[in-house]
Amino acid sequence: METCRAAVITEHNKPLTIQQVPIPKLDQGSLLVKITASTLCGTDVHRWHGPLGDGDSLPIITGHEPCGYVEDIAGERTDILGNPVKRGDRIVWSYVACGSCYYCAVALQPCICPGRASWGHNRSDQHPFLLGSCAEYMYVPKECLIIKVPEDVTSASAAASACAYRTVMHGFDRLGAIKSHETVVIQGSGPLGNFATAVAKDHGAKKVLVIGAPANRLEVTKRMGADGVLNLEEVTDEKHRRNWVRDHTEGRGADVVIQVANNLAVPEGLTLLRGGGRYLNIGAGGKANIAVERIPQEMLFITIRSAEPRHWLQAIDFLASRRKSFPFEEMISKSYKLEQINEAMAAMASYSVVKAVINFN
Ligand SMILES: [Zn+2]
Ligand SMILES: [Zn+2]
């Protein structure tokens, strides 16, 4: 059996190792993709530090944000728009829901399908081995929908659309229209916060205000179009942060608050929202047993998980069509080789980069 190199977590909190992992035989409809870029995500760091949720069974190939070239296809495939997929196409691809459970078929909420498949936490010593993105190749199951990447979108940005950016698109989809008189407050200035800043501006918000840290991330936030940023590390009193939002909104609070940091930010976030406003909760880390002083009247509280295949397409489309308006490449702050995976994971863990990318060429 042929093998390829992959960055593998063999023990939580211990350095990852570069291992040779088998390249599987393709089942009908599946693809083999030669990875060109894999961006890292906060979730990769959480998984490395300890098992998530039900617990991961090690060893796993880290990473779930891939972009690559089709190396091989078993049979004929089309992309999400119905165009044929060929060897050499540069693509990203969606997660897979079962399609036949209550959530998929009745509620039409496939992101909470219990039988959903995703990447970056699958055993690398069991077929089909290559389901993590920090590897030279990835296996793409036949159920995945394929999105071709236009030439003017870099592989690193396309890779980030496979998690961070498509999740933001899902959030805005559920949030609905933003009116031209509305002010949006974003809690968090990581990749999701910065991408959300661009989308909120693009969708017509009057003002986008971002509360985050550290300063290097907020510099990028400003260039993504934020009308105001507040550094959490400098303004440590919650009351002052609330007053800052009030000052920007004639004392009412924001029409929309988007949380892309951590569940722990929810109590403060609710105090930044006006009565009747909309709260979009995306950041899923941290305990959710949070105490809130009061809940704004007539508010909407929206939570989302991951994204549907169409949101992958929306994210890629946004990167391509808005590339002249927003400096998306600035969100990918540092590039590493596969051998430098531990350095890259440490940079993500310390927030010293907005997003790290493993480049394969
Ligand atoms: Zn992710
Ligand atoms: Zn299902």
Side-chain angles (χ1 to χ4, degrees), residues 41 43 64-65 163-164:
C41 167
T43 307
H64 55 273
E65 301 187 356
C163 174

XYZ file of all heavy atoms in Angstrom, residues 41 43 64-65 163-164, ligand 1:
44
model
N -7.245 25.804 13.019
C -8.440 26.369 13.641
C -8.305 26.175 15.141
O -7.595 25.266 15.595
C -9.627 25.588 13.076
S -11.193 25.805 13.908
N -10.305 24.838 17.043
C -10.758 23.486 17.384
C -9.616 22.471 17.313
O -9.556 21.535 18.106
C -11.897 23.061 16.429
O -12.893 24.070 16.452
C -12.508 21.737 16.823
N -8.956 20.229 9.746
C -10.234 19.998 9.064
C -10.537 21.138 8.088
O -11.683 21.383 7.764
C -11.359 19.853 10.093
C -11.441 21.016 11.041
N -10.707 21.073 12.198
C -12.134 22.166 10.985
C -10.940 22.208 12.811
N -11.810 22.907 12.094
N -9.483 21.870 7.660
C -9.693 22.985 6.727
C -8.785 22.784 5.518
O -7.742 23.416 5.402
C -9.383 24.316 7.429
C -10.238 24.547 8.656
C -10.077 25.938 9.273
O -9.235 26.712 8.783
O -10.795 26.231 10.225
N -14.079 25.933 7.092
C -14.560 25.879 8.481
C -14.988 27.266 8.927
O -16.161 27.576 8.984
C -13.509 25.303 9.424
S -13.988 25.387 11.148
N -14.004 28.120 9.229
C -14.312 29.427 9.805
C -15.315 30.208 8.942
O -16.362 30.643 9.416
C -13.018 30.227 9.966
Zn -12.501 24.755 12.447
